[in-house]
Amino acid sequence: MRQMITLTINGKKYKAEEGQNLLQVALDNGIEIPHLCYHEKLTPYGGCRLCLVEVSNRKKTTMTTSCTYPAAQGIKVETDTPQVRKARQRVMEMILALAPDSPGIQRQAHDLGIVKPGFTVESDGCIRCGLCVRACGELVGLNTITFACKGAKRKVEPPYDEEAKSCIGCGTCVVICPTGCLKMKDLGEERRIDKWKRVMEMKKCTECSLPYIPQPQVEFIMDKALEKPPEDWFQKCPDCR
Amino acid sequence: MEQKTTEKIIKKYNCDRHEVLEMLLDIQEKEKYLPRETLDYVSERLDMQPAKLYHLATFYEALSLKPAGRCQVNVCTGTACHVRGAVKILDELEYQLGIKPGEVTSDYNFGLKTVNCVGACALGPLVLVNGEYQGDMTAHKVEKIIKENTDHEDEERKQA
Amino acid sequence: MNRLTSVSELNRLHKDTAAKRGPEKPTITICQGTGCKAYASQEVYKSLEKEIASRGLTEKIGLRGTGCHGFCEQGPMVVIFPEEICYCRVKPEDISEIIEKTVLEKKVIDRLLFKDPVNGERISRESDIPFYKYQNRLIFGKNRLIDPQDIQDYIAIDGYKVMANILAESTPEEVLEQVKKANLRGRGGAGFPAGIKWETTRNAPGNEKCVIVNADEGDPGAYMDRSLLEGNPHLILEGLIIGAYAIGAEEGIIFLRQEYPLALENINLAIKQAQEYGLLGKDILGTGFNFDVRIKRSAGAFVTGESSALVTAIEGNAGEPRPKHLNTAISGVWGRPSNINNVETWANVPVIMDKGVDWYKSIGSKNNPGTKVFSLVGKVNNTGLIEVPLGTPLKTIIYDIGGGIKDGKKFKAVQTGGPSGGCIPEQYLDMPVDFDQLNQIGSMMGSGGMIVMDETSCMVDVARYFMKFLKEESCGKCTSCREGIHMMFNILEAITEGKGHDEDLKLLEDLAWTTENTSLCALGKTASNPVLSTLKYFREEYEAHIKDKRCPAGICRELITYAIDQDKCNGCGRCQKLCSHEAIEGKKKSPLSINTDICTRCGVCLEVCRFSALVVQ
C-alpha cells in the first residue's frame, strides 16, 4: 500500500496515493482532462499530448502530460489555464488532421472547440496513440503488432507488414482504438482484421454448426490459461454449452 | 548466415536479451543486413517477440532488413556537406543509378543511401563507396565512380 | 606487461616511458585521424616506415601515428620533432625528401609548408600557423603528441597521474567540491553544470551507480567527440575514473556511434590496455577503488543522444525518450542513478583537477569558464576542429582562425547548435561565443558545430534542411514533435518550390509554439529553433520566395534557371559533353545555350566550365 499524500488541483486539496499518475487522480475525483492514449489498465504512454496540465513543485512550473506525472506531496496542478487550453487545441488540430473522418476524434475535437483540422495531411486514419500495440502486449500478452520506423514514417504494423500470424482475433485492439480505423469482420468461416492482414479460420460448433471462435484463439487459451478448461470445452459454442 | 555463427554472436553477449542491439549490430556487420531467418532464430533463442526485433530493425538506421548492394554508395548529408552541395551529388547518383536512397539496383550491383554526418567535414561533400571515404565530390565525378565500380564481367555477360 | 599495483609503480613508469621517448630524439609524427586517413595518411605512414627502415635508421628516428591535429583541411599533416616543423598535404612521394632534407640535413622544404592565404608567407612551426595561434588547445592539444593506440605514450606525458593522486590522496567529496567550484558546464548541448549533476547522482538513493559517456555525437557537421576518442581515448577514461570516484560509481558505459569505426577501435584498445595495466578493474593501483568500463554501440538514431532516450537505447530498446521529471541522475539505466556527460566534458576533468580551479576559471568568460572545441566547417577556408576559450569573439574564430570565407565570398551566417540551434547573422560577428550569449540571441552552443554560410546559401533551404533531418530523426512517439515538424517541413518545402502562401509564416510560428511547448523531449522542444532564427534574421528571404517566387541565393531548384552567357562562351562543348540530360544545345565553336525545359539544374555544367560562362538566374 503506497503512502497517501495531499496535492492541490485547481485550487482544491485532494488526497492521492503517492506515485499515482495525475490523470487518474483527476478522473477519480470527477475532474475531466481530455485524453486519448491513456487507459487505466495500461502503462501510461504520454504520446498523444492531450492531457497536458501545468504542474508546480517547489522549484518551478512546467506544462506536462498528466498521465505520466506521479502524484507527490504538495504539488499544485492546474488543468484549465489559458496556456493549457491553447496547447490542447493545437495538439487536437494535429490529431484531427490524422483522423478527420473518425466520429470519436471529431467528438473530442468538438469538445475542445475544433471544428476542422488545421492542416491537410496524408493519413491512414491512425493517430499513433499506441493503444492497440500496448493492449496486445500488456493485456493479451501477445505482442503481435508493433510500432515500426520513426519520425514522420512511424506507423503500427505486424512484423514485415505481413499477416500477423500470432494474432488470435480477440478484438482487443479494435475495441480499444479511439479512431475506429481498426475493423474486425466475420465473413462466413473466416475472421479478418484487414489492417493486420489477418485471416483466421473459425471453429464451428459441433452442435449448431455455426463458426464462433477463431481457431488460433482456442489454441492460445488452451496453451496459456492458468486454469485450463477441459479438452472438449470449445467443441460447443457458448449458446449451446 | 549459418546458425552456428548466429549462436556464437548470441553467446558472445551471454544470451542476454538486454544486449540484443549489440547482437543485431554484429549480424549487420557480417551480413550487411539482417536476414529474416537469422532474426527469427535470435527471437526464439532470446525468447523475444519477433515484433520487438522488427521494431528495433526499423527504428535504427544502422540496421537494415534489405540486402545491401554489392557496391554500397552512401552520400553524407550532414550540414557541412549539404552547404557544400551534397544535394546535387545525390540527385546525380539517383539519376545515373535509377534508384532512390534506401534502394538497390535490380541486379544488386549498387545500393544508395544517405547517411548523417560521418565527421569528415573538411572533405565535404563526401561519398562513401563501400566504406571508403571519397571526398571533394562533385556531380561531375559521379559517373566516374559508377564506371569504376561496375562489375565489368557482369556487364559483358549481360550484353552478350 | 605486469599489472601496476600501486601509485608509486605508476610514477616509476611515468619516468621510464618519458625517458624512452627522448625529447631530443628526431621524431616524425603523422596524423592518423579519420579525416587525414581519407586523404591517404595511412599510406604516408607506411611509406615513412619503409623508408626509415631501408635507410637503417629505425633506432635513430622515431615514427609516431598520432591523433587528430584538427587542421583537417591541410591533411595529411606531418610534424617533425623536436623543431615542430609542420608539413601539410603530404603525399607518399614526399617521404624520401622529408627524411633526407628535414630530418637528416635539418633543412626545411618550402613547398610543403603551410602557405598563408593572405600574404603568401610560408610558416614552418605548427604553433605559428594562424589557425593554431589563436587557439588554446587545453583538451585537444595532446592529440598530436601521442599514439592513441599505445597507452605507454599517454603515460609518458603524465597520463593517469592526476587520477592516481586523487585516488590516493583526495576524498570523493573533495573532488566533487572542486568540480562544482570550477563550474564545468556540460559540453554536449545545454551547458548544465556538471558538478551539480554529479552531486545529484551521488546523493540519489541506491548503491549501484553508473557513469556514462555520451559519445553518440549526432549533430551533423560536428565531429569533435569522434576526434577526441580517436586521438586521445585515455584522456576520457581518466576523466571518467575521476568522476566515478567522486560520484561513487563502479560501472561505466561509453555509448558510442557505430558509425565511428576508428574511434570504436581505439577506445576498445584503450580500455583493454588500461585493464591490463591495472588502471581499470578491481582495486585500481591498490587504492581499493573498483571501476570498470564497457562500450555500448548506438545504432544510428540522432534522438539517442538525448539523455533519457540514451538510457532506453542502452537497455536494448528503441530510443524513445522518457518524461522529464524522471531525472536520469536519479533513475537512469536499469533504474540506477546514472550520470551522463558528453565526451568533451569528461575530457575537461583531468585538466581541471591537474591545474586547479582558479587556473581553469581564469580561462573563458564570466560563468563560462574553460575552452570549447568547435568544428569549424562549411564555406570557410580553414576547415577543422578548433579549441578556443569560451567568450572568444565570433569574428576571431571565422576570420583569424578560419581564414575567412572560401573563394572570396561574403559571410552570411553561421549555424551553431545543430538541429536544435539557430543562425547567427553578420551583425553579431563581434559577439563573444559562450553558452549564455548564444542563448540570448536565439541559438545555442549545442555540441560545438559551427557551419559557416555565405551568400550562396539560402536560409529558407537551411531551415528546410533541418526540418527534413528532424522529421526523419524524431522518435515519433509524441504528436507534437512528429506531426509538428512534419508540417513545418511541408510548408518550408512548398516555399522553396515557389508554392508558398502569405499565411505560411504565421503558420510556421504557430507550429513552432506548439512543438516548443508541448513536446516530450528536447528534440521536439528545440526543433523550431532553426526556423525561428532564420525567420528572425532573414525574413526578407522568406518573403522573396513566397511573394516573388524568387530565391535570392540562387539555390532553390524550382525558382532558378541556368543560362549560358553568350559573351563568355566559346563553344568548347565541355558542358555539352558532360550533360547527362542532353539539355545543352548548339554547335561547337559557337556559343551554346541551355534548353530550360529539360535542364534539371544538376550543376555539372557549372562545375566544369572553365570560362565562368554558366549563369544562375
Side-chain angles (χ1 to χ4, degrees), chain C residues 579-598:
Chain C
C579 175
S580 41
H581 305 269
E582 292 173 12
I584 301 182
E585 295 164 346
K587 289 208 172 66
K588 265 187 143 170
K589 305 281 193 213
S590 54
L592 303 167
S593 64
I594 296 181
N595 183 339
T596 51
D597 290 331
I598 307 175

Side-chain angles (χ1 to χ4, degrees), chain C residues 549-560:
Chain C
K549 311 292 181 214
R550 189 175 58 90
C551 174
I555 291 290
C556 297
R557 293 276 180 84
E558 309 299 321
L559 305 180
I560 56 171

